[in-house]
Amino acid sequence: MYIYFNNAFYLPSIKFGQAKDLFSYTKRSFIAELLMFFSNKTPAIIGAKIYGVTQLGYFSVAGQLSALILTKVMPAFNQVGFTTFSRLNETGNHESIEKYIKDLMVVTSIITFPTFWGLGYTSGKWLPLLIGETWSASVSLLLVMTLVIPFRIFSEILSLAFEAQDKTDIIIKIRIYSLLLSISLIAIFYTLQFGIINLAFSGLASGIFSFILLASIPVDKKCITLDIKIGRAHV
C-alpha cells in the first residue's frame, strides 16, 4: 500500500526524449545493414531474371562457397572489433585507433589473401570432388568471387571503426554508391554478352570500390583515413 501511494518515487519512469540519440543510431545502423542485404541479394535477383534458374544455381553455389568462412567468422569478429573501437574512441586517442586499424589490416592481409585467393585458384581441383562434376561451371565464378573477399573484410573493419565514431551515415552513402555501381555494371556487362560471370565481375568491382572509398574519404581531421597509393603498399 505504501508503495502504491508513493509510486511517483518508486516506480520507474520512461522518458523517450532521452532515447532520441539511441533511436537515431539504431535507425542508421538498420539502414546500413539493409543496404548491405540488398547489395548481396541484388545480383542474384537480377541474374534469375536474365540468365535463368540453372545459371543462377551455379552462381549461388559459388557465392556460398566463397563466403563460407566469412559468414562463420565475421559475427564474432564484428562483436569484438566494435567493442574495441568503441573503447578506443571513448579515450579520444584517435592515433591509437588508427594504429589499431593498420595493425589489424596487416594481420588480416597476411591471412585472407593466401587463404581466399588460394581457394579460388585451386577450386578447379577440389570443387568437383566436393560437390560433384555437375557444378564444375561454378569454378570460374568462384575464382572471381574469392578475389573480392579480402576487400570485403577490410571494408568491414573500416565500417566498424566508423560505427564506433557514430559516423554510420558515411557507410550508408558508400553502400548506396556501391549498389548503384553494381547494378550499372551488370547492365553494361549484359550488353557485352559476358554471361553469368557478369554478376561476379560486378561484385568484384563494387567490393573494391567500397573499400577504396572507405579507406580514402576524409571526414574530418580526426577521422580514420588510410592513404591508398598505387605501386606502393601504404595501409
Side-chain angles (χ1 to χ4, degrees):
M1 292 292 293
Y2 179 78
I3 294 176
Y4 175 79
F5 287 109
N6 293 273
N7 56 9
F9 178 77
Y10 287 97
L11 295 181
S13 61
I14 300 176
K15 297 180 180 180
F16 291 100
Q18 297 178 354
K20 182 179 179 180
D21 293 338
L22 176 61
F23 291 149
S24 177
Y25 174 81
T26 304
K27 179 182 68 176
R28 295 196 302 272
S29 297
F30 174 76
I31 294 174
E33 292 301 320
L34 190 63
L35 287 170
M36 175 62 75
F37 173 81
F38 280 117
S39 296
N40 293 334
K41 299 300 181 182
T42 296
I45 296 173
I46 297 176
K49 297 292 184 180
I50 298 177
Y51 302 106
V53 177
T54 302
Q55 293 294 316
L56 180 63
Y58 296 134
F59 177 81
S60 299
V61 167
Q64 291 176 9
L65 290 175
S66 65
L68 185 61
I69 301 176
L70 193 64
T71 55
K72 299 297 182 181
V73 175
M74 287 311 297
F77 179 82
N78 289 343
Q79 184 176 4
V80 175
F82 181 78
T83 303
T84 303
F85 284 131
S86 297
R87 289 178 178 176
L88 290 173
N89 188 57
E90 289 178 356
T91 64
N93 191 343
H94 295 276
E95 293 182 358
S96 298
I97 300 176
E98 187 173 354
K99 183 179 183 301
Y100 180 78
I101 291 176
K102 291 180 179 180
D103 293 342
L104 184 58
M105 293 187 72
V106 169
V107 174
T108 304
S109 299
I110 296 173
I111 298 173
T112 57
F113 280 112
T115 301
F116 290 100
W117 287 14
L119 285 174
Y121 183 76
T122 60
S123 60
K125 297 181 179 180
W126 60 263
L127 190 145
L129 295 176
L130 182 64
I131 58 178
E133 294 286 345
T134 307
W135 300 99
S136 296
S138 298
V139 171
S140 58
L141 294 167
L142 182 60
L143 176 60
V144 177
M145 288 180 177
T146 51
L147 295 177
V148 76
I149 296 298
F151 296 101
R152 287 187 175 178
I153 296 176
F154 298 154
S155 296
E156 192 65 28
I157 293 173
L158 294 172
S159 296
L160 289 173
F162 280 120
E163 288 183 10
Q165 294 187 29
D166 195 18
K167 299 183 183 297
T168 315
D169 54 328
I170 298 173
I171 304 173
I172 292 174
K173 292 178 182 178
I174 291 177
R175 288 181 179 174
I176 291 174
Y177 297 151
S178 178
L179 178 60
L180 294 176
L181 176 64
S182 179
I183 296 174
S184 301
L185 289 176
I186 291 174
I188 293 172
F189 290 152
Y190 175 69
T191 60
L192 299 176
Q193 301 297 319
F194 279 4
I196 191 69
I197 202 170
N198 155 23
L199 304 180
F201 278 123
S202 64
L204 173 63
S206 62
I208 296 176
F209 174 76
S210 296
F211 165 68
I212 292 175
L213 286 184
L214 281 169
S216 60
I217 289 182
V219 183
D220 53 48
K221 294 182 179 180
K222 294 184 179 180
C223 168
I224 301 166
T225 57
L226 303 177
D227 297 329
I228 305 298
K229 294 184 178 180
I230 305 300
R232 180 182 177 186
H234 187 73
V235 181

